[in-house]
Amino acid sequence: MSCTTSDINSQSSSDAICQYALTACAEKWDLLNFFQFYFCGINENIPVIVILSIIIIAFTLNILSSTADKYLAPSLEFLSKRLKLSEAVAGVTFLAFANGAADVISGVVAGGKAADGIDIAVRGLFGACLFTITVVFARCIQGGGEIKVDRDSFFRDCTFLLLATIYFIVISLTGYLSLPTAIGFLIIYGFYIGVVVVQEKRKRAIQALTDPAFITELAKMSRNGSLESIEKHIPNPSVVIPDTHSEDTNGSVDIQTNDPSSQSQAKAESKEEEDPDNPTTFSGKALKYYNMPLLFIRNLTIFPFEQWDKWRVIAPPFLGTLFILWNFNLMPFLITNWYLLTGLGVLAAAVAAGLFFAGSESTLERFGTFFGIWAFVQSCFWILLIVTCFLDFLALIEIISGLPISFLSLTLIAWGTSMDDFFVDYIIAKNGKGTMAVIGVFGGQLFNMLVGFGLSLIRQTANRGTIEIDLYQASRNDVLVMILMGAQLVVLVLMLVFVHSGKYVVGKKMNIFLMSYYGLFLFSVTMVSFFMKN
């Protein structure tokens, strides 16, 4: 049975249409059956579904953003400090995941779908990447004016993005995708982390060399004629010694940092400046009251990990545990074996009572790492829930509009998961931190591409074994893939050339080029989606 609008509406009566839609489109949804609502509940009422679409998209973007900002990112930053990770490692792992959680989890969720899983993951993650490195990058230039791009970080991130794109093109051309080739994305990211660590050590060596105390000592040795003893004071002999005879008499040296975590710190600062809950504005008040019940519901499953709150530790032992078990589809087993559910309830009540009556700040200090991990896991499951429901809704929109889910993935999903970067990176650049904004544009997308897309492919191959992929035929979906892959490959090469030729300074010309480039891409995929038939 074919799940298309024409086939569904070809049925003889409204009851037959309803029954046919539920049967033919059963594999299109996972959690929420929007097909039953549309074909059986509102009888294909277009105005209602249009209004519902606006509400669902706005709600999805808001709850994804608030979950990442209020739970996921703080928990990962908290854990990186508790585990004493270096800023470089934390920046390219925990903080990168915090910034791109929606992209990563949506890619993993899409990868687990039996039908069109790889198709959705490719369009969603690659589409978000292309949107970010063009439109968001251009937006940063618009906010910061001419930006001096950090050479090392830009060349590193852009090159690895290019490598990831080429790697996927090569393995897709073979026609087969296996678990080892999917793991290859994570291996590439491991090499990337190694490069970041090496660059971090080099940066620290430069900072040591430019320390005012060292420069003062160097000047003394120069005047005393004892420069031959300098080498033993140099942390890395390959680093060029700063000129101590420059006109800058105060001994200060401006160092551009390429620390991946600095962009996350700048994002936090910009969010404080643009706090949407600002009670002085009407929109701030409205959003605050709108978010209150949503925050309350999530607080029922998440332990407080930054500041002790005895009231917030009551519900998570039981409701948070049930939420995790529900995500692993274990609730039917517990309901059948009711004594296990009863035992779990008694144990959870004992833990909650102990934390409420005997807990204090010292409890948070002792169990802070566990609370942080709990908050991280719960945040991921909340994002997973919302993304899964949103993909269920997109499946309905695919049938109603006649557009392929791939087009909706590389537009609606890509734009939605990139909105945080679109607004926040602009503010960072506008506040004079253009270098940090550009680092975030490329560094975050690299994590999404290699880890998010890699995990989605791993999920596909783990569920189905080695699978055949043929993304380069003359069908509408495959043409969209070719346009997307080609567009990303070309723009990365052109950016490396243009930025290098411009001595790593980007301005108005780059802004125009990036916006025009994405506009041409969007026009191309729209024409293919509307006028080319499968």
Side-chain angles (χ1 to χ4, degrees):
M1 300 176 72
S2 176
C3 180
T4 63
T5 303
S6 58
D7 289 334
I8 294 172
N9 289 328
S10 65
Q11 305 305 306
S12 58
S13 65
S14 58
D15 290 338
I17 288 175
C18 171
Q19 187 59 40
Y20 185 91
L22 295 181
T23 304
C25 304
E27 293 185 355
K28 289 287 187 177
W29 59 276
D30 291 317
L31 288 179
L32 296 182
N33 190 349
F34 288 101
F35 290 89
Q36 182 175 17
F37 172 77
Y38 179 70
F39 289 103
C40 307
I42 62 173
N43 296 321
E44 303 179 65
N45 190 312
I46 295 297
V48 171
I49 204 65
V50 169
I51 296 173
L52 183 65
S53 299
I54 296 173
I55 294 174
I56 288 179
I57 291 173
F59 175 79
T60 300
L61 296 181
N62 173 264
I63 198 167
L64 285 177
S65 176
S66 63
T67 301
D69 293 341
K70 296 183 180 299
Y71 299 101
L72 186 65
S75 67
L76 290 179
E77 291 184 30
F78 176 80
L79 285 174
S80 67
K81 294 177 182 178
R82 295 279 297 203
L83 299 177
K84 298 180 180 179
L85 298 179
S86 69
E87 291 185 348
V89 175
V92 299
T93 53
F94 279 5
L95 299 182
F97 181 76
N99 291 336
D103 301 89
V104 173
I105 294 177
S106 63
V108 176
V109 173
K113 284 184 171 289
D116 301 326
I118 293 179
D119 188 73
I120 299 174
V122 169
R123 273 64 167 207
L125 285 167
F126 277 79
C129 180
L130 181 63
F131 177 81
T132 303
I133 63 177
T134 54
V135 177
V136 177
F137 188 13
R139 178 80 167 160
C140 292
I141 298 173
Q142 181 184 359
E146 285 196 347
I147 297 176
K148 176 67 176 178
V149 176
D150 183 82
R151 183 184 63 183
D152 291 342
S153 62
F154 180 83
F155 182 81
R156 176 197 70 210
D157 295 346
C158 200
T159 301
F160 270 93
L161 268 176
L162 185 61
L163 177 62
T165 305
I166 294 173
Y167 180 69
F168 176 72
I169 291 175
V170 170
I171 63 175
S172 61
L173 286 174
T174 65
Y176 294 93
L177 178 66
S178 63
L179 184 60
T181 54
I183 294 175
F185 283 93
L186 301 186
I187 294 175
I188 294 174
Y189 197 74
F191 280 111
Y192 169 74
I193 292 177
V195 172
V196 170
V197 171
V198 170
Q199 288 185 336
E200 175 74 3
K201 291 181 178 179
R202 179 177 177 271
K203 183 194 73 173
R204 291 182 178 178
I206 295 176
Q207 289 176 333
L209 286 174
T210 55
D211 182 75
F214 175 77
I215 293 177
T216 302
E217 183 65 23
L218 187 63
K220 290 181 180 178
M221 289 189 290
S222 177
R223 288 192 296 268
N224 295 335
S226 56
L227 285 175
E228 65 276 3
S229 63
I230 292 176
E231 287 188 4
K232 66 180 182 180
H233 296 276
I234 301 177
N236 185 349
S238 65
V239 179
V240 179
I241 300 175
D243 183 9
T244 58
H245 299 287
S246 64
E247 295 181 1
D248 186 4
T249 59
N250 60 12
S252 63
V253 180
D254 183 23
I255 297 293
Q256 288 285 351
T257 178
N258 62 356
D259 176 14
S261 66
S262 61
Q263 196 268 347
S264 296
Q265 297 168 356
K267 278 193 174 187
E269 295 172 4
S270 67
K271 285 180 182 293
E272 290 178 359
E273 295 174 6
E274 273 204 335
D275 184 6
D277 296 336
N278 187 345
T280 61
T281 64
F282 174 78
S283 60
K285 290 180 180 179
L287 191 58
K288 178 180 178 180
Y289 290 116
Y290 164 77
N291 280 324
M292 282 178 63
L294 299 177
L295 291 174
F296 175 76
I297 293 173
R298 282 172 287 183
N299 284 343
L300 294 176
T301 66
I302 299 176
F303 282 112
F305 56 90
E306 293 183 298
Q307 185 175 359
W308 179 255
D309 186 342
K310 68 177 184 179
W311 295 102
R312 277 190 56 191
V313 300
I314 298 176
F318 185 69
L319 295 181
T321 302
L322 288 183
F323 188 54
I324 293 175
L325 294 174
W326 177 78
N327 275 280
F328 283 106
N329 200 28
L330 293 176
M331 286 303 297
F333 174 78
L334 286 177
I335 293 174
T336 302
N337 299 275
W338 59 269
Y339 53 90
L340 294 178
L341 185 60
T342 303
L344 176 63
V346 172
L347 178 62
V351 172
L355 290 173
F356 181 80
F357 291 107
S360 62
E361 289 290 344
S362 62
T363 305
L364 187 60
E365 180 64 28
R366 291 177 58 190
F367 298 101
T369 302
F370 171 77
F371 287 172
I373 294 174
W374 183 279
F376 164 69
V377 172
Q378 293 287 355
S379 301
C380 290
F381 280 132
W382 275 107
I383 294 175
L384 174 66
L385 172 64
I386 298 302
V387 169
T388 302
C389 294
F390 186 63
L391 290 176
D392 289 344
F393 181 71
L394 281 187
L396 174 64
I397 300 302
E398 173 193 9
I399 302 303
I400 296 175
S401 65
L403 293 172
I405 190 66
S406 55
F407 175 77
L408 298 174
S409 300
L410 64 84
T411 52
L412 287 181
I413 292 180
W415 299 340
T417 55
S418 303
M419 280 299 102
D420 184 64
D421 290 319
F422 181 80
F423 292 109
V424 175
D425 288 340
Y426 169 76
I427 297 299
I428 294 173
K430 191 174 181 180
N431 289 343
K433 299 176 181 177
T435 301
M436 290 183 181
V438 174
I439 290 172
V441 165
F442 287 88
Q445 291 310 306
L446 186 61
F447 183 89
N448 298 345
M449 282 282 296
L450 290 175
V451 179
F453 187 59
L455 289 176
S456 71
L457 298 184
I458 288 174
R459 186 176 183 187
Q460 275 274 7
T461 53
N463 290 338
R464 301 165 56 190
T466 299
I467 55 180
E468 292 187 16
I469 53 173
D470 195 352
L471 301 176
Y472 305 104
Q473 299 186 52
S475 68
R476 177 170 59 176
N477 285 339
D478 294 329
V479 170
L480 289 176
V481 169
M482 288 186 277
I483 294 175
L484 179 59
M485 295 294 103
Q488 183 152 312
L489 197 65
V490 170
V491 77
L492 287 170
V493 173
L494 291 179
M495 279 196 288
L496 281 171
V497 174
F498 291 167
V499 173
H500 177 73
S501 62
K503 298 180 180 180
Y504 294 90
V505 176
V506 294
K508 186 176 181 179
K509 291 182 179 179
M510 177 62 77
N511 185 10
I512 295 174
F513 162 72
L514 293 174
M515 293 298 295
S516 302
Y517 189 90
Y518 190 80
L520 178 61
F521 161 78
L522 187 59
F523 175 80
S524 301
V525 296
T526 302
M527 292 298 100
V528 169
S529 298
F530 273 103
F531 298 110
M532 183 176 180
K533 303 297 182 181
N534 281 322

